[in-house]
Amino acid sequence: MKLPAFLNFITFLFTFAIGFSQQKEIQIKVHHVSNNVYMLVGQGGNIAISAGEDGVFMIDDQFARLTPKILKAIKTVSEKDIRFLLNTHWHGDHTGGNKNMEKEGAVIIAHENVRKRMSTDQFQKRRNRTIKAAPKGALPIVTFTKDLNFHFNGESIYAFHVHNAHTDGDAMVYFGSSNVLHMGDTYFQGKYPYIDLDSGGSAQGYIDAIKKALLIIDDETKIIPGHRNLSFKTELKEYLAMLEEIKINILTEINAGKTEEEVANNIKLTQKFDDLKYGDWFISGEAIRRTFYRSLKK
Ligand SMILES: [Zn+2]
């Protein structure tokens, strides 16, 4: 083995070892957001709970293997039962614990398309893999198409659907008195969004979803994104401006007859935002240019 190859191999082993130890040591951190509302961060989508006299209302549940840790974390806030679990969309890093939560007695709720997608095998072109249908106990048993209200823990908890954004089954949840909005994966704070075109997501729908969120919130609202850090209105407005600028840039290329490869290779189209580190994760500048191209070309 030549020296550079050997060094690469050592780096690989080291990265693998770190990845493995992180996997073993995932902690569920509980952050108080406002009034009864808490955000739980572990691995996968951010969880929100409302904990009060009526019990626990929960949004998303990460992965099945984390359920014991998540339940322990919830217990530090409330001894009461988990009455409701709402899924913001069907992806496994938000619904993986469903079956366990159903066993805990939670009633699982989601948009109708979440149940539809979880009920059958789903092929994801991007990753070239099939995700098996979820077992019966993991499926939402209450579904809605537009919106619904919970009157729980002294406030109104309003869940509403946004069309073809991150997927075709996204819901946001607004805690009225606490003034907290959970946006699910219609918001990846500080990074380019993953828009799941194979699951009915779209660039325009993603932009429209954020516009809808902005109509509901005010300067004091605390925003829980699907992934990453707690956020607020001015930051979400900047995020929207970023997406709209990229949309215009890509549309101009499409109208000029450019191919997907030309757009994928033209770093200038997202350079300004790449420099702000939006692409420093699994959705790179190239990935977001391709996503917008494919979505807007239709
Ligand atoms: Zn997702």
Side-chain angles (χ1 to χ4, degrees):
M1 204 184 277
K2 286 201 180 119
L3 188 63
F6 176 72
L7 288 177
N8 275 341
F9 181 65
I10 293 295
T11 311
F12 167 77
L13 280 184
F14 192 64
T15 314
F16 181 77
I18 289 179
F20 190 71
S21 63
Q22 279 173 348
Q23 182 80 13
K24 264 174 79 182
E25 283 165 19
I26 284 167
Q27 301 291 328
I28 308 295
K29 294 205 179 85
V30 181
H31 305 276
H32 182 230
V33 180
S34 171
N35 297 340
N36 290 329
V37 182
Y38 299 80
M39 170 168 135
L40 275 63
V41 181
Q43 190 187 39
N46 289 326
I47 292 170
I49 59 164
S50 160
E53 55 176 11
D54 298 332
V56 175
F57 177 98
M58 182 173 182
I59 301 173
D60 290 348
D61 54 21
Q62 302 186 349
F63 299 103
R65 62 176 184 277
L66 295 176
T67 301
K69 284 184 180 178
I70 291 167
L71 291 174
K72 219 169 138 190
I74 293 174
K75 283 271 183 299
T76 66
V77 176
S78 171
E79 284 291 333
K80 298 214 169 176
D81 292 340
I82 300 167
R83 301 269 304 275
F84 302 106
L85 166 68
L86 189 142
N87 295 139
T88 57
H89 62 292
W90 77 275
H91 287 154
D93 57 330
H94 298 255
T95 60
N98 275 17
K99 198 163 176 262
N100 300 333
M101 292 302 168
E102 190 255 355
K103 279 191 197 139
E104 290 291 311
V107 172
I108 306 176
I109 300 138
H111 184 267
E112 199 164 73
N113 290 338
V114 173
R115 185 179 161 97
K116 267 188 202 158
R117 289 197 180 273
M118 287 180 75
S119 304
T120 55
D121 291 358
Q122 295 291 312
F123 179 67
Q124 282 195 313
K125 236 190 286 172
R126 193 181 75 98
R127 290 178 176 151
N128 192 29
R129 63 166 193 179
T130 298
I131 295 150
K132 286 271 165 214
K136 190 165 164 275
L139 298 177
I141 63 158
V142 178
T143 59
F144 63 96
T145 53
K146 196 171 163 275
D147 55 10
L148 85 167
N149 246 308
F150 299 83
H151 304 274
F152 199 71
N153 289 338
E155 69 180 324
S156 127
I157 303 173
Y158 177 57
F160 58 96
H161 172 57
V162 284
H163 299 284
N164 302 94
H166 172 64
T167 66
D168 61 5
D170 300 308
M172 296 191 207
V173 185
Y174 182 62
F175 297 88
S177 311
S178 303
N179 198 8
V180 176
L181 179 68
H182 192 308
M183 289 182 64
D185 283 359
T186 65
Y187 186 24
F188 288 86
Q189 183 269 338
K191 299 289 170 197
Y192 288 137
Y194 166 43
I195 301 174
D196 186 353
L197 303 180
D198 297 329
S199 296
S202 73
Q204 187 57 53
Y206 206 93
I207 286 171
D208 292 341
I210 293 172
K211 284 183 180 167
K212 193 162 175 185
L214 286 166
L215 288 177
I216 287 170
I217 62 176
D218 61 30
D219 292 339
E220 312 301 319
T221 308
K222 297 195 168 130
I223 304 172
I224 300 176
H227 295 268
R228 295 175 47 84
N229 308 319
L230 198 65
S231 187
F232 44 90
K233 190 175 181 182
T234 47
E235 195 175 45
L236 185 63
K237 276 168 118 175
E238 283 168 22
Y239 195 78
L240 175 65
M242 176 271 291
L243 293 173
E244 290 198 301
E245 194 170 322
I246 291 176
K247 178 191 145 188
I248 290 168
N249 291 349
I250 306 280
L251 264 183
T252 307
E253 299 297 298
I254 291 171
N255 293 336
K258 297 288 164 62
T259 65
E260 179 177 331
E261 289 312 310
E262 284 172 315
V263 166
N265 293 327
N266 187 351
I267 58 166
K268 279 193 211 137
L269 299 170
T270 54
Q271 184 80 65
K272 181 176 154 188
F273 303 108
D274 293 353
D275 290 346
L276 294 170
K277 309 218 178 294
Y278 277 101
D280 280 12
W281 80 330
F282 79 108
I283 304 296
S284 62
E286 183 188 329
I288 201 69
R289 294 194 294 276
R290 283 188 190 275
T291 301
F292 269 67
Y293 183 91
R294 285 177 197 166
S295 185
L296 296 168
K297 187 87 205 295
K298 284 172 188 166

